[in-house]
Amino acid sequence: MVESFDVIVVGGGPGGSACATFLGKAGKKVLLLEKARFPRDKTCGDAISGKSMRVLRELGLTMEIERNPHAVIRGVIFSSPNGKTVHIPFPQKPDQSAPGYCCRREVFDNIVFQNAKKFADVREKIMVTDVIRENGFVVGVNAKDLDGKKDVEFRAKVVVGADGSQSVMANKLGLLDTPDEHHCTALRIYYQNVRDLTDSIELHFVDSVMPGYFWIFPLENGLANVGIGMITKDMKEHKTNLKQVTFDAIANDPLFKKRFQGAQAVGPVMGWTLPFGSHHRKCFGNGFVLVGDAASLIDPFTGEGIGNAMTSGWIASQVIADGLKQNDVSESFLRQYDEKLWSEIGAELDTSYKLQRVGRFKPLLNFVVGKAAKSPKVRETISSMLGSEQAKKEFTGPLFYLKLMLS
Ligand SMILES: Cc1cc2nc3c(=O)[nH]c(=O)nc-3n(C[C@H](O)[C@H](O)[C@H](O)COP(=O)(O)OP(=O)(O)OC[C@H]3O[C@@H](n4cnc5c(N)ncnc54)[C@H](O)[C@@H]3O)c2cc1C
């Protein structure tokens, strides 16, 4: 007999696990299907920013992160193409709590995923292969049981696609459409014994890497997440070999050469894709919604997507719960999800896209980082701007740069 649920969530990453948890808490009968067995790795920079922290607090999971291997993050170090470096502390929280963490996704995702088991029927090693449609509505999924090696089918009133950047759900629904200029390709390598790690994440706009950026994010016990990201369109046009560029920067750039002497790569080089939220993908329809990377929601400036994945999962859970209550899961009802989501994150994505465009100009980056490196007042201004969406917008306007020139 085919099993039936209120909601099926496809994918147990942070977006899917958060969505399934909130729906389960709201009393819905939820099935969470995940193709991997947890804990599993996910290629990422492992930075858990302020927005993720908000959802983590709502889920009651911050203490769980504190109990597991992680690093507390209190600021960001930028460097410009001419090699100048500046340290910007994050604004201190009134309650002195951690502004952010770096936590390996093998650890972080497992915490959010295992917590979902308290509220939803969670099944691992089930790989969804297609959506089932009836009368113009998505009503379930076809899947492969990877352990039992058999085809299975599940039915629900609503299906949530939370299956990441290569989403089978988005693909089968004809929505996997992010153009190359709104899409990033990135790779990550774990290193042990990189020198001079601090409690700040590091974003380096290195000349040889531009228009991409190089990152070093500190983790527990001297481990670091090192990576590079570049807009896919640029990468293709410049025929950039990301792996080559990364190893060249590590071996030759004056900023990194000494710091990586004696450092060892731990594990393989891992690459993956980031669909940016500067492209507004349709993420709802009759009987379905998409969340997280499946909905193309990654910040186009910072490359952060965990916060938007969890936030979209949370908002989707509220709209779906309302729809089930009113017995309406039509496209016109679920449109509210798109509206609420974009009123929450749209302005920020817009600002980040503008910042990404500004960040392509080497002289401007040299100028801002140079000014900030010299002036504590400029560093303070940037620090307070990082904590406020409204203020962050100023970075994208000419007035900010004029004020800098005059400062
Ligand atoms: C190199 C790199 C660095 C990044 N750095 C950062 C960073 O530092 N901070 C940050 O916030 N974001 C970062 N991101 C973005 C971040 O990784 C994603 O935005 C985030 O993982 C999205 O969460 P999600 O739940 O939508 O999808 P995912 O985390 O991708 O989870 C999707 C889940 O669905 C499962 N799945 C996939 N297909 C199926 C299927 N057919 N059936 C069943 N299950 C399926 C997968 O196994 C997976 O568990 C980075 C991304 C990359 C590639």
Side-chain angles (χ1 to χ4, degrees):
M1 206 182 68
V2 176
E3 291 178 85
S4 210
F5 298 83
D6 289 328
V7 186
I8 294 171
V9 179
V10 180
S17 290
C19 188
T21 303
F22 286 121
L23 279 163
K25 279 187 172 180
K28 304 301 161 205
K29 189 181 173 199
V30 186
L31 175 66
L32 174 59
L33 298 175
E34 167 56 52
K35 74 174 176 186
R37 184 170 312 285
F38 274 55
R40 59 100 179 93
D41 185 24
K42 155 77 178 83
T43 303
C44 186
D46 301 329
I48 315 295
S49 67
K51 196 183 299 167
S52 308
M53 300 293 287
R54 193 174 139 214
V55 189
L56 278 179
R57 275 194 291 275
E58 186 65 27
L59 292 170
L61 291 176
T62 45
M63 283 313 290
E64 201 50 35
I65 308 282
E66 293 276 352
R67 278 193 282 271
N68 278 278
H70 71 282
V72 171
I73 300 302
R74 301 196 181 280
V76 54
I77 292 169
F78 289 109
S79 77
S80 51
N82 62 4
K84 284 253 160 48
T85 301
V86 62
H87 171 239
I88 313 275
F90 290 144
Q92 190 57 57
K93 300 243 164 209
D95 62 358
Q96 303 293 309
S97 61
Y101 297 117
C102 279
C103 181
R104 280 178 296 113
R105 293 288 297 275
E106 189 180 349
V107 175
F108 177 83
D109 287 20
N110 195 41
I111 290 170
V112 189
F113 181 76
Q114 299 303 343
N115 184 58
K117 290 184 177 171
K118 295 184 203 152
F119 305 97
D121 182 343
V122 177
R123 304 201 196 163
E124 292 164 80
K125 302 293 276 181
I126 304 286
M127 183 173 76
V128 169
T129 52
D130 209 344
V131 292
I132 302 170
R133 278 178 262 218
E134 276 171 12
N135 305 319
F137 276 72
V138 171
V139 294
V141 293
N142 293 119
K144 281 202 182 314
D145 176 339
L146 300 175
D147 280 341
K149 297 196 174 31
K150 58 178 184 203
D151 292 335
V152 281
E153 176 184 329
F154 302 99
R155 298 267 172 158
K157 293 170 192 150
V158 184
V159 179
V160 178
D163 48 345
S165 72
Q166 309 288 327
S167 170
V168 169
M169 286 285 299
N171 190 24
K172 293 292 177 187
L173 291 159
L175 299 169
L176 200 67
D177 60 352
T178 305
D180 277 354
E181 66 261 40
H182 297 286
H183 191 273
C184 177
T185 306
L187 60 80
R188 170 220 85 188
I189 316 163
Y190 286 125
Y191 270 92
Q192 192 72 51
N193 299 327
V194 178
R195 288 185 205 167
D196 303 329
L197 295 176
T198 63
D199 60 1
S200 291
I201 54 170
E202 301 180 35
L203 298 179
H204 298 285
F205 295 92
V206 184
D207 204 16
S208 60
V209 173
M210 291 283 290
Y213 72 72
F214 183 92
W215 73 77
I216 304 176
F217 293 172
L219 286 158
E220 75 278 7
N221 303 326
L223 195 66
N225 181 318
V226 175
I228 192 170
M230 190 176 273
I231 292 169
T232 305
K233 184 166 184 272
D234 291 327
M235 190 187 74
K236 285 185 182 167
E237 272 174 18
H238 301 159
K239 298 194 172 41
T240 306
N241 178 333
L242 287 187
K243 205 168 158 181
Q244 185 73 47
V245 170
T246 309
F247 288 129
D248 279 355
I250 286 172
N252 303 317
D253 194 287
L255 274 181
F256 313 125
K257 212 170 150 179
K258 279 217 178 98
R259 294 183 64 191
F260 279 84
Q261 269 168 15
Q264 304 88 29
V266 184
V269 178
M270 300 294 291
W272 199 237
T273 55
L274 297 87
F276 284 157
S278 45
H279 170 73
H280 188 156
R281 178 181 291 175
K282 182 170 185 255
C283 57
F284 62 97
N286 286 332
F288 79 89
V289 301
L290 303 174
V291 306
D293 283 8
S296 192
L297 297 178
I298 296 182
D299 186 292
F301 182 59
T302 63
E304 290 174 7
I306 302 169
N308 284 349
M310 294 178 91
T311 302
S312 59
W314 189 7
I315 294 172
S317 74
Q318 292 161 1
V319 175
I320 292 168
D322 278 356
L324 291 172
K325 201 165 158 196
Q326 295 178 38
N327 209 15
D328 186 354
V329 294
S330 66
E331 171 159 341
S332 59
F333 187 91
L334 295 176
R335 181 182 300 278
Q336 285 178 54
Y337 160 60
D338 181 79
E339 288 163 3
K340 288 185 177 165
L341 175 64
W342 283 82
S343 83
E344 176 76 22
I345 67 172
E348 181 188 301
L349 287 173
D350 189 44
T351 304
S352 286
Y353 183 54
K354 287 183 183 139
L355 278 174
Q356 182 215 86
R357 306 315 290 170
V358 168
R360 296 168 72 83
F361 296 108
K362 291 185 199 177
L364 204 58
L365 282 173
N366 289 338
F367 169 68
V368 175
V369 174
K371 275 278 180 188
K374 272 196 218 130
S375 157
K377 201 162 156 245
V378 173
R379 291 200 290 278
E380 233 172 72
T381 311
I382 296 179
S383 172
S384 62
M385 284 166 89
L386 288 176
S388 145
E389 256 338 291
Q390 191 52 37
K392 218 194 276 177
K393 270 196 197 141
E394 284 186 36
F395 280 123
T396 65
L399 207 60
F400 170 70
Y401 300 96
L402 190 67
K403 276 190 214 157
L404 268 193
M405 255 184 249
L406 300 173
S407 69

